[in-house]
Every structure is written in C-alpha cells, then in structure tokens.
Amino acid sequence: MEIPEFVETLDREGRLLAASAEAAGPDAKVATCPDWQVRDLVRHTGMVHRWATSFVAEGHTSYHPDGGLPDLDGDELLGWFRDGHRRLVDTLSGAAPDVQCWSFLPAPSPLAFWARRQAHETTVHRVDSESALGPQRSAVAGQFAVDGIDELLRGFHGRTRSKVRTREPRVLRVRATDVPDTVWTLRLSQEPPVCEREERGAADCELAGPADELYLSLWNRLPFPGLTGDASTAELWREKSGITWS
C-alpha cells in the first residue's frame, strides 16, 4: 500500500471512531478492552495522534515523549480528538516525502512508517469504539488487514521487546483464507519470533480465516476464526503478544 492509501484510511477510520464514540457516550464500556470506558479510548487515541504528529511536523530525530492524557470529557473531549485527528491527517498529507524524523519499525521512509502505523492504530481503536455499541462493526479491507498482520508479526514481534517466547521451539502458522498465497510462519523459541512470509515446514498450530478476522484476532480483539493443532501455542500468543503503551 502507498502512503496516500494509508492516510485515506486513517482519515476514514478516525471519523468512524469519533462517530461511534459519540453514539456510545463517554461512560460506555469498551467490550474489546474491558478495563476502558469510551472516554479512556478517546483520550488514548487522541494522545497518540498528537504524539505521532509531533515527529513529522517538528522533525524530532530521536524519541520524544507524548504529551499525556487530557483532563477532558464529553463533547469537549470529542472536539479535542477530532482536532488532533484532523491535524495528523493534514500533516501526513502535506509532509515532504523525504521528511526525516524518528520511527521505530522498518519502513521505506519515516513518512511511510507514520502513515502506516497511525492507520492501523486508528483502525484497531475504531473497532474498540464500535464495540461499545454492540457486536456489529465496520469491516476492515482485506489488503489493509494483510498489511496490518504483516506489521504486527514481522514488525512489532520482530523486535527484541517481543515477549512471545517458549522454552521448547514451536511453529505457529497464520493463513488468510480469502487472499491467495497469504501465509506467515512464525518460529517461536527463547529468542524473539522469527517470521517468514511463506509456508515452510510443519506447524504445531495454524490460525486461519478471513484476513479481516485474523487481523483483529491477532491484535486480541476477536476470537481466532479457525485453529488447528496445538491450542496451547495459540494461547501463548494470547497471553504474551499484547502491545502496551510505554
């Protein structure tokens, strides 16, 4: 996917998040994140949007801390979220392709990294926001979901920070059933996972299903759509794969 596609997705998903948050109300429980109410979700996502904007707009070339969560609620909080989301979209749309700033996953450029990361950040949290209204949700496009799975498996869990580790080696396979030739093989050990974008060798456990559902299940928002083999390997993913803000 190209940068404009990610920015377009970010724009749409942020507007859907705000609309569903407004419909649910700030006190509503977020079903996919049981510790949160809608106000917590909106504060967090709005903070991340402003944090991301600062790198591209201000050219920070090393890690820069976020600005903290706002002491806002209700309509004022939603207005604050919408303003920050709009500034992020406009900043990414207007940035020079060769802008130099800090990023934390491999990407063709810092701008490509931030456009991709914020599109996925906002999409997952849009699903969280919609979960406060009930089980119905807007779909995630197949190719975008595939990209998000790739970012999670080969990006986030390719880092030394990944906690998905096992005493005895195991192999976890992930297969998108609605996108041809889309499969990942994760080799788990006492070291960070090693992920290959191909089917190689036997797997202890396979997670399979539509890319949209796989994407959200790997982000621990849905049950796994299909599981064969050793269920304890899938449970290991559930227990250890969470990405936390720090």
Side-chain angles (χ1 to χ4, degrees):
M1 293 179 63
E2 300 296 327
I3 291 172
E5 295 176 277
F6 286 121
V7 176
E8 181 181 350
T9 300
L10 166 64
D11 188 9
R12 179 180 65 253
E13 296 291 329
R15 288 185 280 107
L16 286 171
L17 190 161
S20 54
E22 185 171 32
D27 296 327
K29 293 288 187 180
V30 177
T32 50
C33 298
D35 292 337
W36 273 357
Q37 293 176 296
V38 165
R39 63 169 57 85
D40 302 308
L41 170 65
V42 175
R43 287 170 180 163
H44 167 79
T45 313
M47 174 272 290
V48 173
H49 284 172
R50 282 168 164 75
W51 178 73
T53 299
S54 71
F55 288 102
V56 180
E58 300 168 24
H60 298 294
T61 55
S62 60
Y63 175 80
H64 184 75
D66 64 77
L69 300 176
D71 186 19
L72 300 173
D73 209 348
D75 291 344
E76 192 176 8
L77 175 61
L78 283 170
W80 173 86
F81 173 85
R82 287 181 167 117
D83 287 347
H85 171 247
R86 185 76 260 147
R87 183 166 181 242
L88 175 59
V89 170
D90 291 345
T91 296
L92 293 172
S93 297
D98 60 351
V99 63
Q100 295 301 305
C101 62
W102 180 81
S103 58
F104 62 87
L105 295 178
S109 69
L111 183 60
F113 163 80
W114 284 111
R116 181 196 203 193
R117 177 80 291 276
Q118 291 308 300
H120 288 296
E121 175 85 10
T122 307
T123 298
V124 171
H125 286 319
R126 180 269 296 169
V127 171
D128 292 334
S129 182
E130 290 182 344
S131 80
L133 292 170
Q136 299 301 314
R137 62 174 177 84
S138 305
V140 178
Q143 288 297 338
F144 180 74
V146 167
D147 181 82
I149 295 169
D150 206 64
E151 183 203 42
L152 180 61
L153 300 186
R154 298 206 293 169
F156 278 103
H157 289 287
R159 302 186 298 170
T160 58
R161 295 177 61 176
S162 177
K163 296 179 181 178
V164 183
R165 306 186 186 211
T166 63
R167 289 182 178 273
E168 299 297 329
R170 303 189 206 180
V171 177
L172 174 64
R173 181 157 292 132
V174 176
R175 186 187 308 276
T177 55
D178 58 340
V179 182
D181 303 318
T182 304
V183 61
W184 296 262
T185 301
L186 284 86
R187 304 192 182 281
L188 309 180
S189 69
Q190 296 184 48
E191 300 298 321
V194 175
C195 182
E196 302 166 294
R197 183 75 182 268
E198 61 183 336
E199 182 170 357
R200 179 179 292 183
D204 296 288
C205 177
E206 179 168 311
L207 307 175
D212 163 284
E213 295 179 34
L214 270 181
Y215 172 61
L216 295 173
S217 68
L218 289 165
W219 274 105
N220 297 319
R221 263 55 183 193
L222 291 178
F224 295 120
L227 188 161
T228 55
D230 178 18
S232 70
T233 303
E235 188 58 32
L236 173 74
W237 179 269
R238 277 274 185 255
E239 293 175 358
K240 302 293 187 182
S241 67
I243 305 298
T244 57
W245 183 259
S246 60

